Structures are given as C-alpha cells and as structure tokens.
C-alpha cells in the first residue's frame, strides 16, 4: 500500500493527541476539565434554528459555488458596518475558515514556497501548509514579550525570493495576542514593499477584551488588494458545526483563482448557508454579552495562572486561548501524568502540549496552550487542580529564589 509523502508528513493534532488518556481517566470515573480544545460552550443564536426550521425546498440543489447571494450580502453588510468595504461579489463562501485557508495556500504556493507566520501558531496551519507543499517559516515570538512581533528589520530579514505571504491569526490562537495597529501597519508595509500577500485570519475578531485593542487588516486601505481576509461563523456565533466561513479580498485576479477551487468542490451546504445568513441578523447585544462572558473568563484565567509559582504568562487580549510557560520538564509528560495520577476529589484537568504549536517539535516543551471555554466556576476548579498538580508533579523544575 502506498501513501503520499504529503499525507505522511501530516501529524495528528496536538490538541486531540492526548484524548485517549482523557478517555481512560473518564472511564475510571474521573471528571476531566478540558482546557485543551477551543469548542465554545455558548448557545448558538435562535436565529439560526428558526431559519433552518423553515428550510424546505422541493429539491436540495447545488448552490452557487461562490455562495448564496443572501449570505454574501449578509457578510458584506457585516464588514461594511465595521468600515471594511468588501462588496458581496468580493466575498466567497467556504466550508469553514479551514477550507478558505486551504484554498489560499493552494493559490499562493508552488512546492517549496514559504509563508511567514508568527510562532507559536495554530497547529492546523502546519496541516494546510503541508498539503500545499509549502513551508512555514516562523517569525519567533515569546511569552516574555506577550508574543508581540519582533522588530521590522528582523521580520524583513526572513523574507526571501520564495516568500509568498505573511499569515497572521489576529487576535491570535494560540497566544491570545492582539497585534497593535503599528504591527498591523508594519506587516502591510512589508507586504507592499516585497509584493507579497497577507493572510489575515480574523475568525476571533469579536473576542477582544480591551477597547481600542483591535485593528483589522481590512482597514488598511492601501493594502486591500493584498489582504486575504479569512472569516468564519464558528466562533463568532458559537456555530462551529455549521461549517461556514469565507475568503474576501478586493482583488479580481485573486478571486478568479478562488472561483476555480469553489467550482471544483461544487457547493457549500445549502441549509447551513441559510442558517449562517440568519446568524448575521443576530442583534449586536448577543456578541456584546458573549464578549462580556469571555472577558470574565479571561480575568479568572489570568488570575489563576499568576497564582501558580514559576509560570510565565501575559494577560491575553483576545481570542480565548493563551500559551503559558510552566516550571515543568515536559508538558506532554505532565498532561499524561495529570490525567493518570492526579485528581482532587475525582476531578482533573487537561490542556494542550505547547510543542504542537511550533514548527520545530523541540520548541515549547515547557509550554501549554490553555483554552478558556469553560464557565467561570469550572475554570476556577480547573485552575485550582492545575496549580496543585504542578506543585505535586515529579518533573517540576524548582525555581531559584532571588
Ligand atoms: C486561528 C483559526 N483559524 C481558523 C480556524 C478554522 O475555523 P473553522 O474552520 O471552524 O471556520 C480556527 C478554528 O479553531 C482557528 O482557531
């Protein structure tokens, strides 16, 4: 049996890799608090269910490959309201932001071409890059500096004749960093200077916890022909299972390439597009309430993490994740140990090992990605367990007190 080099190069998701250990703990009767996965627990708006309840065409037909007009109009209206001028015909609907990202890499990269990405990065970026036979070149960032970008000169020195784009999750999964307007402008400036694109993955745009902390790449007017906007209803409307996303850009030539791939996969789900169009009619108060809830969780998380001696963490400004450095020898070993050997009153915690968010699996070994998608009380319990587990862990690295 032969499998392609391309598929064999793909790795199992670091977010899901340790699930068998969690299942084993659950089979023994333990409750596991999941800080490893970004599945929001917030209710999907009623507008979605109302719309799909009324969906009853005589035949469930293929839909236009680029998406149904009412959804493209709804997404365009959403952008216009935030000052980003995408017209409906500049928005192409995809099966989640994930398909949009796969399309973009297929469009931009020949084998061996390079994409610059702030590291640590969302683990699936590796999957999408490998499928396109592209190389991810990390822009190094660290917990100590809140995972902000290094100097313009350092970033510019990473650009080669093979570089095709910057790829930025903004605000960032996994770090929780929201890039400053200066950083956004700097990447746009470099992209223009070197004639490359910016893949602006803004699926967490609404999850910003300080006012004035977010500037969309879509608001940099003189870069709109090279900003490839990636979006999704998954997190915004807590509708991950709807599988609706989009790619938007003010660049006809680029959209022509997107269309080829849209036509290749024929159509996105008819009923889900109707549901997603209705999601965009959700009152603004829904997003404001959700934001308030996540801000509370962010505060609980940051307070809980700071209470663990020896951690290096920053206050996450957006999305619902953060990367944290712990005083432990190896985060994967620690998580397995915690699931197998540590509980408080039959309850334990799980996070995602940090190295899965780096291009080099030997990096981030003492880091974990924490998702705060649990309600406040559960998050508090999960962090209490984590603190005690770190103190009891045989591979703990003792801090030298000054
Ligand atoms: C940074 C980032 N981009 C894109 C996606 C893809 O989301 P979806 O395919 O559900 O739209 C995710 C999902 O977790 C994500 O975290």
């Amino acid at each position: 049996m032969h499998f392609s080099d391309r598929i064999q190069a793909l790795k199992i998701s670091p977010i899901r890799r340790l699930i068998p250990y969690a299942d084993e703990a659950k089979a023994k009767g333990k409750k596991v608090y999941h800080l490893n996965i970004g599945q929001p627990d917030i209710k999907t708006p009623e507008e979605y269910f109302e719309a799909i309840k009324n969906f009853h065409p005589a035949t469930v037909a293929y839909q236009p490959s680029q998406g149904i007009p009412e959804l493209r109009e709804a997404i365009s209206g959403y952008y216009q309201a935030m000052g980003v001028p995408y017209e409906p015909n500049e928005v192409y609907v995809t099966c989640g932001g994930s398909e949009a990202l796969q399309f973009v890499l297929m469009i931009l990269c020949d084998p061996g071409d390079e994409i610059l990405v702030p590291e640590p990065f969302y683990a699936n970026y590796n999957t999408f890059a490998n499928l396109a036979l592209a190389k991810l070149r990390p822009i190094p960032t660290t917990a100590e500096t809140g995972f902000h970008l290094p100097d313009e000169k350092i970033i510019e020195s990473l650009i080669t004749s093979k570089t095709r784009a910057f790829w930025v999750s903004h605000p960032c999964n996994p770090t929780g960093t929201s890039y400053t307007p200066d950083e956004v402008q700097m990447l746009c400036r470099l992209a223009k200077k070197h004639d490359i694109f910016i893949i602006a993955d803004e699926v967490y745009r609404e999850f910003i916890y300080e006012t004035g902390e977010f500037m969309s790449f879509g608001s940099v007017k003189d870069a709109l022909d090279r900003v490839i906007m990636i979006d999704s209803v998954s997190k915004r409307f807590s509708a991950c299972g709807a599988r609706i996303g989009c790619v938007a850009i003010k660049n006809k030539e680029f959209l022509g390439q997107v269309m080829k791939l849209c036509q290749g996969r024929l159509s996105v789900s008819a009923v889900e597009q109707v549901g997603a169009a209705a999601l965009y009619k959700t009152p603004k108060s829904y997003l404001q309430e959700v934001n308030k809830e996540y801000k509370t969780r962010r505060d609980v998380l940051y307070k809980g993490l700071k209470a663990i001696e020896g951690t290096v963490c920053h206050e996450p400004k957006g999305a619902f994740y953060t990367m944290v450095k712990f005083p432990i020898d190896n985060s994967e070993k620690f998580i397995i140990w915690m699931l197998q050997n540590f509980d408080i009153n039959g309850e334990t915690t799980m996070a995602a090992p940090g190295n899965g968010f780096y291009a080099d699996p030997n990096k981030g070994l003492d880091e974990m990605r924490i998702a705060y998608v649990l309600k406040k009380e559960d998050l508090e319990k999960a962090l209490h367990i984590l603190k005690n587990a770190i103190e009891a862990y045989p591979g703990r690295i003792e801090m030298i007190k000054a």
Side-chain angles (χ1 to χ4, degrees):
M1 251 187 275
H2 174 83
F3 297 111
S4 68
D5 293 344
R6 186 192 291 122
I7 201 72
Q8 294 196 70
L10 300 190
K11 297 193 188 76
I12 296 288
S13 156
I15 302 158
R16 294 192 159 77
R17 185 167 76 210
L18 304 185
I19 283 182
Y21 295 95
D23 289 344
E24 209 178 284
K26 285 177 201 167
K28 287 186 186 148
K30 285 189 199 173
K31 179 178 168 81
V32 178
Y33 292 104
H34 284 275
L35 301 180
N36 57 314
I37 199 145
Q39 168 59 60
D41 61 342
I42 304 284
K43 278 193 178 149
T44 310
E46 270 309 307
E47 282 79 357
Y48 169 84
F49 298 103
E50 276 306 310
I52 61 172
K53 232 190 278 171
N54 297 325
F55 177 79
H56 198 282
T59 303
V60 182
Y62 288 126
Q63 302 300 304
S65 296
Q66 64 276 43
I68 60 171
E70 64 195 274
L71 178 55
R72 299 175 82 197
E73 276 156 28
I75 299 173
S76 160
Y78 158 85
Y79 282 124
Q80 309 251 358
M82 59 179 240
V84 177
Y86 295 127
E87 299 298 331
N89 64 2
E90 294 164 338
V91 174
Y92 282 33
V93 176
T94 53
C95 178
S98 303
E99 188 186 53
L101 288 169
Q102 288 173 59
F103 282 3
V104 168
L105 288 221
M106 296 302 287
I107 290 166
L108 296 186
C109 298
D110 283 315
D113 282 348
E114 295 170 359
I115 305 281
L116 289 174
V117 57
E119 184 185 53
F121 51 81
Y122 174 47
N124 268 334
Y125 284 5
N126 259 328
T127 308
F128 304 147
N130 282 338
L131 284 177
L133 302 177
K135 269 198 204 130
L136 289 185
R137 283 203 75 186
I139 301 172
T141 71
T142 63
E144 285 78 359
T145 56
F147 299 101
H148 280 284
L149 297 178
D151 259 20
E152 186 161 349
K153 282 210 170 62
I154 296 178
I155 298 180
E156 193 163 21
S157 73
L158 299 170
I159 298 175
T160 71
S161 60
K162 286 188 165 292
T163 308
R164 299 289 167 251
F166 291 116
W167 188 357
V168 197
S169 164
H170 174 49
C172 183
N173 172 13
T175 62
T177 302
S178 175
Y179 298 102
T180 62
D182 281 352
E183 288 172 301
V184 169
Q185 298 277 11
M186 182 236 289
L187 291 184
C188 290
R189 193 163 53 240
L190 287 174
K192 272 183 75 175
K193 181 170 171 192
H194 293 273
D195 193 19
I196 59 177
F197 285 90
I198 295 175
I199 309 169
D201 179 349
E202 297 188 1
V203 303
Y204 295 98
R205 187 184 295 114
E206 275 72 21
F207 301 86
I208 289 287
Y209 309 116
E210 287 0 286
T211 43
E213 273 287 341
F214 184 78
M215 179 182 186
S216 169
F217 280 92
S219 59
V220 184
K221 298 280 180 285
D222 62 351
L224 279 173
D225 60 336
R226 60 184 70 249
V227 166
I228 306 164
M229 182 61 72
I230 303 295
D231 227 319
S232 168
V233 302
S234 291
K235 316 287 164 159
R236 177 168 309 134
F237 298 113
S238 206
C240 295
R243 310 308 307 130
I244 297 292
C246 73
V247 48
I249 186 171
K250 282 197 135 4
N251 179 327
K252 282 202 172 57
E253 229 185 317
F254 187 91
L255 287 170
Q257 313 309 316
V258 179
M259 189 59 176
K260 294 182 200 168
L261 292 167
C262 287
Q263 287 179 344
R265 62 87 169 100
L266 305 178
S267 167
V268 171
S269 157
V271 63
E272 294 296 1
Q273 290 193 72
V274 170
L279 281 174
Y280 279 94
K281 295 189 188 118
T282 307
K284 258 207 165 130
S285 56
Y286 169 87
L287 296 175
Q288 286 159 354
E289 281 304 308
V290 172
N291 181 290
K292 214 164 105 192
E293 170 65 22
Y294 274 103
K295 186 174 190 307
T296 304
R297 294 174 181 190
R298 189 278 309 259
D299 293 343
V300 167
L301 178 87
Y302 187 49
K303 189 169 160 217
L305 289 173
K306 277 198 307 186
I308 305 175
E309 208 194 333
T311 55
V312 180
C313 63
H314 72 126
E315 184 181 51
K317 301 288 193 254
F320 35 70
Y321 312 90
T322 192
M323 287 289 281
V324 189
K325 211 180 248 198
F326 290 95
I328 51 177
D329 58 350
N330 180 299
S331 59
E332 181 160 336
K333 261 169 57 187
F334 168 74
I335 295 162
I336 295 172
W337 174 85
M338 186 162 54
L339 288 168
Q340 290 183 329
N341 302 298
F342 191 85
D343 65 89
I344 296 182
N345 301 325
E347 297 187 336
T348 192
T349 294
M350 181 178 189
N355 66 341
F357 300 87
Y358 286 82
D360 174 353
N362 292 315
K363 283 189 172 167
L365 288 173
D366 57 354
E367 294 177 16
M368 288 191 261
R369 189 197 69 167
I370 312 264
Y372 45 103
V373 287
L374 302 180
K375 61 178 195 284
K376 182 173 177 270
E377 297 71 27
D378 287 350
L379 198 52
E380 277 166 347
K381 281 190 209 154
L383 287 160
H384 176 68
I385 293 166
L386 185 63
K387 178 177 191 301
N388 282 277
I390 285 180
E391 284 163 6
Y393 177 54
R396 178 185 162 85
I397 307 219
E398 285 307 323
M399 306 306 294
I400 300 159
K401 295 226 168 80

